[in-house]
PDB file of all heavy atoms in Angstrom:
ATOM      1  N   GLY A   1     -23.473  -6.873 -15.159  1.00 91.00           N
ATOM      2  CA  GLY A   1     -22.271  -7.595 -15.552  1.00 91.00           C
ATOM      3  C   GLY A   1     -21.964  -7.366 -17.013  1.00 91.00           C
ATOM      4  O   GLY A   1     -22.836  -6.936 -17.789  1.00 91.00           O
ATOM      5  N   TYR A   2     -20.734  -7.654 -17.405  1.00 91.00           N
ATOM      6  CA  TYR A   2     -20.315  -7.417 -18.786  1.00 91.00           C
ATOM      7  C   TYR A   2     -19.296  -8.483 -19.180  1.00 91.00           C
ATOM      8  O   TYR A   2     -18.358  -8.769 -18.430  1.00 91.00           O
ATOM      9  CB  TYR A   2     -19.688  -6.026 -18.913  1.00 91.00           C
ATOM     10  CG  TYR A   2     -19.533  -5.540 -20.339  1.00 91.00           C
ATOM     11  CD1 TYR A   2     -20.574  -4.896 -20.990  1.00 91.00           C
ATOM     12  CD2 TYR A   2     -18.339  -5.738 -21.035  1.00 91.00           C
ATOM     13  CE1 TYR A   2     -20.438  -4.449 -22.297  1.00 91.00           C
ATOM     14  CE2 TYR A   2     -18.190  -5.292 -22.338  1.00 91.00           C
ATOM     15  CZ  TYR A   2     -19.243  -4.652 -22.968  1.00 91.00           C
ATOM     16  OH  TYR A   2     -19.107  -4.213 -24.262  1.00 91.00           O
ATOM     17  N   THR A   3     -19.503  -9.055 -20.363  1.00 89.00           N
ATOM     18  CA  THR A   3     -18.596 -10.089 -20.872  1.00 89.00           C
ATOM     19  C   THR A   3     -17.786  -9.550 -22.033  1.00 89.00           C
ATOM     20  O   THR A   3     -18.330  -8.893 -22.932  1.00 89.00           O
ATOM     21  CB  THR A   3     -19.393 -11.325 -21.340  1.00 89.00           C
ATOM     22  OG1 THR A   3     -20.167 -11.832 -20.250  1.00 89.00           O
ATOM     23  CG2 THR A   3     -18.448 -12.413 -21.825  1.00 89.00           C
ATOM     24  N   LEU A   4     -16.499  -9.813 -22.012  1.00 88.00           N
ATOM     25  CA  LEU A   4     -15.595  -9.401 -23.078  1.00 88.00           C
ATOM     26  C   LEU A   4     -14.888 -10.621 -23.656  1.00 88.00           C
ATOM     27  O   LEU A   4     -14.384 -11.457 -22.905  1.00 88.00           O
ATOM     28  CB  LEU A   4     -14.539  -8.423 -22.556  1.00 88.00           C
ATOM     29  CG  LEU A   4     -14.839  -6.914 -22.637  1.00 88.00           C
ATOM     30  CD1 LEU A   4     -13.699  -6.140 -22.001  1.00 88.00           C
ATOM     31  CD2 LEU A   4     -15.045  -6.469 -24.071  1.00 88.00           C
ATOM     32  N   THR A   5     -14.867 -10.710 -24.976  1.00 85.00           N
ATOM     33  CA  THR A   5     -14.080 -11.743 -25.640  1.00 85.00           C
ATOM     34  C   THR A   5     -12.680 -11.192 -25.898  1.00 85.00           C
ATOM     35  O   THR A   5     -12.534 -10.097 -26.449  1.00 85.00           O
ATOM     36  CB  THR A   5     -14.736 -12.153 -26.971  1.00 85.00           C
ATOM     37  OG1 THR A   5     -16.049 -12.647 -26.701  1.00 85.00           O
ATOM     38  CG2 THR A   5     -13.917 -13.237 -27.660  1.00 85.00           C
ATOM     39  N   LEU A   6     -11.671 -11.926 -25.502  1.00 85.00           N
ATOM     40  CA  LEU A   6     -10.290 -11.465 -25.648  1.00 85.00           C
ATOM     41  C   LEU A   6      -9.784 -11.714 -27.068  1.00 85.00           C
ATOM     42  O   LEU A   6     -10.211 -12.673 -27.729  1.00 85.00           O
ATOM     43  CB  LEU A   6      -9.401 -12.193 -24.642  1.00 85.00           C
ATOM     44  CG  LEU A   6      -9.837 -12.092 -23.168  1.00 85.00           C
ATOM     45  CD1 LEU A   6      -8.948 -12.959 -22.299  1.00 85.00           C
ATOM     46  CD2 LEU A   6      -9.801 -10.651 -22.690  1.00 85.00           C
ATOM     47  N   PRO A   7      -8.878 -10.873 -27.549  1.00 82.00           N
ATOM     48  CA  PRO A   7      -8.317 -11.073 -28.896  1.00 82.00           C
ATOM     49  C   PRO A   7      -7.645 -12.429 -29.048  1.00 82.00           C
ATOM     50  O   PRO A   7      -7.747 -13.075 -30.089  1.00 82.00           O
ATOM     51  CB  PRO A   7      -7.304  -9.931 -29.018  1.00 82.00           C
ATOM     52  CG  PRO A   7      -7.735  -8.914 -28.022  1.00 82.00           C
ATOM     53  CD  PRO A   7      -8.342  -9.672 -26.900  1.00 82.00           C
ATOM     54  N   ASN A   8      -6.956 -12.857 -27.972  1.00 82.00           N
ATOM     55  CA  ASN A   8      -6.283 -14.156 -27.952  1.00 82.00           C
ATOM     56  C   ASN A   8      -6.398 -14.745 -26.554  1.00 82.00           C
ATOM     57  O   ASN A   8      -6.430 -14.010 -25.563  1.00 82.00           O
ATOM     58  CB  ASN A   8      -4.796 -14.008 -28.312  1.00 82.00           C
ATOM     59  CG  ASN A   8      -4.595 -13.387 -29.673  1.00 82.00           C
ATOM     60  OD1 ASN A   8      -4.855 -14.001 -30.691  1.00 82.00           O
ATOM     61  ND2 ASN A   8      -4.130 -12.138 -29.689  1.00 82.00           N
ATOM     62  N   ALA A   9      -6.461 -16.051 -26.473  1.00 84.00           N
ATOM     63  CA  ALA A   9      -6.480 -16.709 -25.164  1.00 84.00           C
ATOM     64  C   ALA A   9      -5.183 -16.385 -24.427  1.00 84.00           C
ATOM     65  O   ALA A   9      -4.099 -16.425 -25.011  1.00 84.00           O
ATOM     66  CB  ALA A   9      -6.628 -18.211 -25.326  1.00 84.00           C
ATOM     67  N   THR A  10      -5.290 -16.036 -23.148  1.00 87.00           N
ATOM     68  CA  THR A  10      -4.113 -15.589 -22.410  1.00 87.00           C
ATOM     69  C   THR A  10      -4.213 -15.944 -20.934  1.00 87.00           C
ATOM     70  O   THR A  10      -5.304 -16.199 -20.410  1.00 87.00           O
ATOM     71  CB  THR A  10      -3.938 -14.062 -22.550  1.00 87.00           C
ATOM     72  OG1 THR A  10      -2.755 -13.643 -21.876  1.00 87.00           O
ATOM     73  CG2 THR A  10      -5.119 -13.323 -21.963  1.00 87.00           C
ATOM     74  N   ASP A  11      -3.062 -15.953 -20.250  1.00 87.00           N
ATOM     75  CA  ASP A  11      -3.008 -16.101 -18.796  1.00 87.00           C
ATOM     76  C   ASP A  11      -2.218 -14.950 -18.181  1.00 87.00           C
ATOM     77  O   ASP A  11      -1.768 -15.022 -17.042  1.00 87.00           O
ATOM     78  CB  ASP A  11      -2.382 -17.446 -18.406  1.00 87.00           C
ATOM     79  CG  ASP A  11      -0.953 -17.596 -18.921  1.00 87.00           C
ATOM     80  OD1 ASP A  11      -0.403 -16.636 -19.495  1.00 87.00           O
ATOM     81  OD2 ASP A  11      -0.368 -18.694 -18.755  1.00 87.00           O
ATOM     82  N   SER A  12      -2.041 -13.877 -18.938  1.00 87.00           N
ATOM     83  CA  SER A  12      -1.233 -12.733 -18.517  1.00 87.00           C
ATOM     84  C   SER A  12      -2.009 -11.806 -17.590  1.00 87.00           C
ATOM     85  O   SER A  12      -3.121 -11.374 -17.918  1.00 87.00           O
ATOM     86  CB  SER A  12      -0.755 -11.948 -19.739  1.00 87.00           C
ATOM     87  OG  SER A  12      -0.217 -10.694 -19.352  1.00 87.00           O
ATOM     88  N   ASN A  13      -1.426 -11.470 -16.440  1.00 87.00           N
ATOM     89  CA  ASN A  13      -2.025 -10.496 -15.530  1.00 87.00           C
ATOM     90  C   ASN A  13      -2.324  -9.186 -16.256  1.00 87.00           C
ATOM     91  O   ASN A  13      -3.388  -8.583 -16.086  1.00 87.00           O
ATOM     92  CB  ASN A  13      -1.066 -10.186 -14.378  1.00 87.00           C
ATOM     93  CG  ASN A  13      -0.882 -11.343 -13.428  1.00 87.00           C
ATOM     94  OD1 ASN A  13      -1.370 -12.438 -13.664  1.00 87.00           O
ATOM     95  ND2 ASN A  13      -0.165 -11.109 -12.338  1.00 87.00           N
ATOM     96  N   LEU A  14      -1.379  -8.742 -17.053  1.00 87.00           N
ATOM     97  CA  LEU A  14      -1.469  -7.435 -17.697  1.00 87.00           C
ATOM     98  C   LEU A  14      -2.642  -7.367 -18.669  1.00 87.00           C
ATOM     99  O   LEU A  14      -3.453  -6.435 -18.617  1.00 87.00           O
ATOM    100  CB  LEU A  14      -0.164  -7.129 -18.438  1.00 87.00           C
ATOM    101  CG  LEU A  14       1.122  -7.158 -17.590  1.00 87.00           C
ATOM    102  CD1 LEU A  14       2.339  -6.956 -18.473  1.00 87.00           C
ATOM    103  CD2 LEU A  14       1.072  -6.094 -16.507  1.00 87.00           C
ATOM    104  N   ILE A  15      -2.745  -8.338 -19.539  1.00 89.00           N
ATOM    105  CA  ILE A  15      -3.793  -8.307 -20.562  1.00 89.00           C
ATOM    106  C   ILE A  15      -5.170  -8.561 -19.955  1.00 89.00           C
ATOM    107  O   ILE A  15      -6.141  -7.876 -20.286  1.00 89.00           O
ATOM    108  CB  ILE A  15      -3.483  -9.333 -21.669  1.00 89.00           C
ATOM    109  CG1 ILE A  15      -2.209  -8.915 -22.415  1.00 89.00           C
ATOM    110  CG2 ILE A  15      -4.646  -9.465 -22.639  1.00 89.00           C
ATOM    111  CD1 ILE A  15      -1.749  -9.893 -23.455  1.00 89.00           C
ATOM    112  N   LEU A  16      -5.262  -9.526 -19.057  1.00 92.00           N
ATOM    113  CA  LEU A  16      -6.550  -9.811 -18.426  1.00 92.00           C
ATOM    114  C   LEU A  16      -7.041  -8.618 -17.614  1.00 92.00           C
ATOM    115  O   LEU A  16      -8.220  -8.256 -17.670  1.00 92.00           O
ATOM    116  CB  LEU A  16      -6.436 -11.052 -17.536  1.00 92.00           C
ATOM    117  CG  LEU A  16      -6.317 -12.392 -18.272  1.00 92.00           C
ATOM    118  CD1 LEU A  16      -5.945 -13.508 -17.298  1.00 92.00           C
ATOM    119  CD2 LEU A  16      -7.623 -12.737 -18.981  1.00 92.00           C
ATOM    120  N   ALA A  17      -6.146  -7.979 -16.853  1.00 91.00           N
ATOM    121  CA  ALA A  17      -6.538  -6.813 -16.046  1.00 91.00           C
ATOM    122  C   ALA A  17      -6.972  -5.656 -16.933  1.00 91.00           C
ATOM    123  O   ALA A  17      -7.940  -4.944 -16.628  1.00 91.00           O
ATOM    124  CB  ALA A  17      -5.381  -6.397 -15.148  1.00 91.00           C
ATOM    125  N   GLN A  18      -6.265  -5.445 -18.036  1.00 91.00           N
ATOM    126  CA  GLN A  18      -6.603  -4.374 -18.968  1.00 91.00           C
ATOM    127  C   GLN A  18      -8.034  -4.525 -19.484  1.00 91.00           C
ATOM    128  O   GLN A  18      -8.811  -3.568 -19.510  1.00 91.00           O
ATOM    129  CB  GLN A  18      -5.609  -4.385 -20.136  1.00 91.00           C
ATOM    130  CG  GLN A  18      -5.905  -3.357 -21.223  1.00 91.00           C
ATOM    131  CD  GLN A  18      -4.989  -3.527 -22.429  1.00 91.00           C
ATOM    132  OE1 GLN A  18      -4.113  -4.379 -22.444  1.00 91.00           O
ATOM    133  NE2 GLN A  18      -5.204  -2.717 -23.445  1.00 91.00           N
ATOM    134  N   HIS A  19      -8.406  -5.733 -19.878  1.00 94.00           N
ATOM    135  CA  HIS A  19      -9.751  -5.971 -20.405  1.00 94.00           C
ATOM    136  C   HIS A  19     -10.799  -5.994 -19.302  1.00 94.00           C
ATOM    137  O   HIS A  19     -11.956  -5.583 -19.534  1.00 94.00           O
ATOM    138  CB  HIS A  19      -9.761  -7.274 -21.200  1.00 94.00           C
ATOM    139  CG  HIS A  19      -9.048  -7.183 -22.512  1.00 94.00           C
ATOM    140  ND1 HIS A  19      -9.618  -6.631 -23.626  1.00 94.00           N
ATOM    141  CD2 HIS A  19      -7.793  -7.546 -22.882  1.00 94.00           C
ATOM    142  CE1 HIS A  19      -8.763  -6.667 -24.643  1.00 94.00           C
ATOM    143  NE2 HIS A  19      -7.647  -7.218 -24.206  1.00 94.00           N
ATOM    144  N   ALA A  20     -10.438  -6.431 -18.119  1.00 94.00           N
ATOM    145  CA  ALA A  20     -11.383  -6.426 -16.999  1.00 94.00           C
ATOM    146  C   ALA A  20     -11.780  -4.999 -16.635  1.00 94.00           C
ATOM    147  O   ALA A  20     -12.948  -4.722 -16.326  1.00 94.00           O
ATOM    148  CB  ALA A  20     -10.772  -7.138 -15.794  1.00 94.00           C
ATOM    149  N   LEU A  21     -10.830  -4.083 -16.689  1.00 94.00           N
ATOM    150  CA  LEU A  21     -11.128  -2.685 -16.378  1.00 94.00           C
ATOM    151  C   LEU A  21     -12.009  -2.061 -17.463  1.00 94.00           C
ATOM    152  O   LEU A  21     -12.857  -1.210 -17.175  1.00 94.00           O
ATOM    153  CB  LEU A  21      -9.837  -1.887 -16.218  1.00 94.00           C
ATOM    154  CG  LEU A  21      -8.975  -2.272 -15.004  1.00 94.00           C
ATOM    155  CD1 LEU A  21      -7.728  -1.417 -14.920  1.00 94.00           C
ATOM    156  CD2 LEU A  21      -9.778  -2.157 -13.711  1.00 94.00           C
ATOM    157  N   LYS A  22     -11.820  -2.487 -18.701  1.00 93.00           N
ATOM    158  CA  LYS A  22     -12.706  -2.027 -19.777  1.00 93.00           C
ATOM    159  C   LYS A  22     -14.137  -2.480 -19.508  1.00 93.00           C
ATOM    160  O   LYS A  22     -15.096  -1.720 -19.681  1.00 93.00           O
ATOM    161  CB  LYS A  22     -12.242  -2.591 -21.120  1.00 93.00           C
ATOM    162  CG  LYS A  22     -11.003  -1.938 -21.698  1.00 93.00           C
ATOM    163  CD  LYS A  22     -10.680  -2.557 -23.053  1.00 93.00           C
ATOM    164  CE  LYS A  22      -9.402  -1.965 -23.652  1.00 93.00           C
ATOM    165  NZ  LYS A  22      -9.078  -2.599 -24.953  1.00 93.00           N
ATOM    166  N   ALA A  23     -14.281  -3.741 -19.084  1.00 94.00           N
ATOM    167  CA  ALA A  23     -15.612  -4.272 -18.781  1.00 94.00           C
ATOM    168  C   ALA A  23     -16.244  -3.524 -17.616  1.00 94.00           C
ATOM    169  O   ALA A  23     -17.439  -3.206 -17.636  1.00 94.00           O
ATOM    170  CB  ALA A  23     -15.516  -5.763 -18.468  1.00 94.00           C
ATOM    171  N   LEU A  24     -15.446  -3.216 -16.601  1.00 95.00           N
ATOM    172  CA  LEU A  24     -15.957  -2.498 -15.430  1.00 95.00           C
ATOM    173  C   LEU A  24     -16.509  -1.129 -15.824  1.00 95.00           C
ATOM    174  O   LEU A  24     -17.577  -0.717 -15.349  1.00 95.00           O
ATOM    175  CB  LEU A  24     -14.849  -2.350 -14.388  1.00 95.00           C
ATOM    176  CG  LEU A  24     -15.201  -1.492 -13.165  1.00 95.00           C
ATOM    177  CD1 LEU A  24     -16.337  -2.137 -12.368  1.00 95.00           C
ATOM    178  CD2 LEU A  24     -13.971  -1.292 -12.269  1.00 95.00           C
ATOM    179  N   LYS A  25     -15.805  -0.417 -16.683  1.00 94.00           N
ATOM    180  CA  LYS A  25     -16.246   0.929 -17.084  1.00 94.00           C
ATOM    181  C   LYS A  25     -17.561   0.889 -17.836  1.00 94.00           C
ATOM    182  O   LYS A  25     -18.299   1.884 -17.863  1.00 94.00           O
ATOM    183  CB  LYS A  25     -15.157   1.593 -17.927  1.00 94.00           C
ATOM    184  CG  LYS A  25     -13.931   1.994 -17.104  1.00 94.00           C
ATOM    185  CD  LYS A  25     -12.816   2.554 -17.961  1.00 94.00           C
ATOM    186  CE  LYS A  25     -11.603   2.908 -17.088  1.00 94.00           C
ATOM    187  NZ  LYS A  25     -10.461   3.410 -17.884  1.00 94.00           N
ATOM    188  N   ASN A  26     -17.883  -0.244 -18.428  1.00 93.00           N
ATOM    189  CA  ASN A  26     -19.154  -0.380 -19.134  1.00 93.00           C
ATOM    190  C   ASN A  26     -20.344  -0.558 -18.193  1.00 93.00           C
ATOM    191  O   ASN A  26     -21.487  -0.347 -18.610  1.00 93.00           O
ATOM    192  CB  ASN A  26     -19.100  -1.571 -20.092  1.00 93.00           C
ATOM    193  CG  ASN A  26     -18.450  -1.242 -21.423  1.00 93.00           C
ATOM    194  OD1 ASN A  26     -19.061  -0.619 -22.281  1.00 93.00           O
ATOM    195  ND2 ASN A  26     -17.203  -1.640 -21.589  1.00 93.00           N
ATOM    196  N   ILE A  27     -20.095  -0.973 -16.969  1.00 94.00           N
ATOM    197  CA  ILE A  27     -21.204  -1.243 -16.048  1.00 94.00           C
ATOM    198  C   ILE A  27     -21.195  -0.340 -14.814  1.00 94.00           C
ATOM    199  O   ILE A  27     -22.147  -0.350 -14.031  1.00 94.00           O
ATOM    200  CB  ILE A  27     -21.192  -2.728 -15.591  1.00 94.00           C
ATOM    201  CG1 ILE A  27     -19.855  -3.082 -14.932  1.00 94.00           C
ATOM    202  CG2 ILE A  27     -21.477  -3.657 -16.750  1.00 94.00           C
ATOM    203  CD1 ILE A  27     -19.797  -4.500 -14.383  1.00 94.00           C
ATOM    204  N   TYR A  28     -20.138   0.448 -14.636  1.00 95.00           N
ATOM    205  CA  TYR A  28     -20.060   1.319 -13.457  1.00 95.00           C
ATOM    206  C   TYR A  28     -21.079   2.455 -13.546  1.00 95.00           C
ATOM    207  O   TYR A  28     -21.237   3.085 -14.587  1.00 95.00           O
ATOM    208  CB  TYR A  28     -18.655   1.896 -13.319  1.00 95.00           C
ATOM    209  CG  TYR A  28     -18.550   2.931 -12.212  1.00 95.00           C
ATOM    210  CD1 TYR A  28     -18.502   2.541 -10.876  1.00 95.00           C
ATOM    211  CD2 TYR A  28     -18.537   4.300 -12.518  1.00 95.00           C
ATOM    212  CE1 TYR A  28     -18.427   3.483  -9.863  1.00 95.00           C
ATOM    213  CE2 TYR A  28     -18.454   5.247 -11.513  1.00 95.00           C
ATOM    214  CZ  TYR A  28     -18.408   4.834 -10.180  1.00 95.00           C
ATOM    215  OH  TYR A  28     -18.334   5.779  -9.179  1.00 95.00           O
TER     216      TYR A  28
END
């Protein structure tokens, strides 16, 4: 698993998905 701290608190699909994919690439 991988935890990422976001630059700003958000509820945006776009920003959350962007960072989730970054986290995935770190553990794939």
Side-chain angles (χ1 to χ4, degrees):
Y2 194 86
T3 302
L4 268 177
T5 301
L6 305 175
N8 302 289
T10 183
D11 60 5
S12 168
N13 291 6
L14 303 175
I15 294 176
L16 288 169
Q18 177 187 358
H19 288 280
L21 293 181
K22 285 182 182 179
L24 174 64
K25 289 176 181 178
N26 277 283
I27 57 177
Y28 173 76

